[in-house]
Amino acid sequence: MSKQLLQMFENQDGQFVSGEEISKELQISRTAVWKQIQKLQKAGYQFEAATRKGYRLIQQPDKLSLQQLLPKLTSRRLGCSIKLHDVVESTQNIAKALAEDGAPEGTLVVAEQQLQGRGRLGRQWVSPPGKGIYMSLVLRPSTELAYSSQLTLLIAVALCRSLRTITGVEIGIKWPNDLLADNKKISGILLESAAEEERLRYLIAGIGISVNMEPEDYPPEVLEKAVSLKMLTGAALDRAEIIAFFLEELEVLYDLYNVNGFAPIRTLWEALSVSLHKETEVRTPQGILRGTPIGLNEHGALLLRDEQGSVRPVFSAELGSRN
């Protein structure tokens, strides 16, 4: 029925179609017509409704395709295999299953919509169809498990640098891996890994980017803390270009990391950080710490100088504001 309804709108070429006409054509009630319109809106279609005129289709969802994405790719390994999906529970779950089946490093899973997208600490990631980037990348680093947090920071640097270049927006990194602009979140990174004998077997990097969302795409409580690239720049962005540019930047930094270790990545991360040298509260599993983040150590832990002047490393925590 949705296909029939869309065909009616496409045949009208941007003109209004009355609810009565739709009702007769599809042999459904006017209430059922409205429900079908709502269903299409949830799938990313936008309509204008007018009294006595009915509805007209004003925008269709922007769907990614391999024909659109592949010509933009310049990375050699990352993106070597790309799996595109319309709707999934989570790209993380699919990428993990592929990794377990032996998928090569660089395998990328991208979805138009996630029903159960997740971020750090089990939080849900808002994933409206066709407006964001929801992807998971399979990596197979030759890194000890104890140093896996370095890779979270590496990916944050690559994503931050690529988005700053594309948009011109002053985007920064909130430790460990949230990307902020105007003190609002535009992207999050979730790393999940499998290890054997203290070495990583594989790592799944889940990345969510709010690209072309409008304010109405966010729940009110999320809108207070989140923003999209379109809301920041005033223009819709090419999601395929963002993915390709990120993979290129990540590959360069990943190669740098494999040759020279974490030191150059740490320098880049500290230069992009919005978390350093500001008094803050750090919520850890053991309780709340208060102090000033001053940098990273060689493992990728946050170095926190407390009120007594002592410096301690923090590996797993969430930064808050200082009252």
Side-chain angles (χ1 to χ4, degrees), residues 43-202:
Y45 293 86
Q46 294 184 26
F47 295 88
E48 179 185 354
T51 305
R52 298 190 182 91
K53 290 185 177 181
Y55 310 93
R56 71 186 182 102
L57 179 64
I58 57 175
Q59 186 172 326
Q60 300 190 40
D62 170 34
K63 293 193 69 172
L64 287 166
S65 67
L66 290 177
Q67 291 80 6
Q68 179 188 16
L69 182 55
L70 291 178
K72 299 179 186 295
L73 288 179
T74 57
S75 51
R76 293 172 289 108
R77 300 186 316 282
L78 304 187
C80 62
S81 174
I82 301 176
K83 313 294 184 183
L84 293 182
H85 298 268
D86 284 333
V87 182
V88 300
E89 295 295 315
S90 167
T91 58
Q92 287 291 92
N93 297 344
I94 296 174
K96 181 179 179 180
L98 291 171
E100 288 288 349
D101 287 341
E105 179 170 73
T107 298
L108 182 69
V109 178
V110 185
E112 290 290 347
Q113 183 181 13
Q114 292 185 114
L115 301 179
Q116 295 181 8
R118 59 186 185 272
R120 291 182 66 243
L121 307 177
R123 296 191 179 100
Q124 183 179 6
W125 185 263
V126 177
S127 308
K131 294 190 174 184
I133 292 173
Y134 324 116
M135 59 184 177
S136 294
L137 180 67
V138 177
L139 296 174
R140 296 188 181 276
S142 56
T143 304
E144 294 181 11
L145 181 61
Y147 293 92
S148 59
S149 59
Q150 295 176 348
L151 297 166
T152 304
L153 303 167
L154 186 158
I155 292 169
V157 169
L159 186 58
C160 187
R161 283 165 59 95
S162 60
L163 292 182
R164 284 168 70 109
T165 300
I166 288 174
T167 65
V169 175
E170 291 294 315
I171 298 168
I173 306 171
K174 178 184 176 182
W175 187 84
N177 52 20
D178 286 344
L179 267 56
L180 305 183
D182 291 341
N183 205 35
K184 290 189 173 184
K185 185 171 178 177
I186 60 171
S187 178
I189 300 166
L190 174 66
L191 264 66
E192 298 176 320
S193 60
E196 189 174 285
E197 296 181 354
E198 299 304 312
R199 297 198 71 84
L200 290 170
R201 289 177 49 227
Y202 62 79

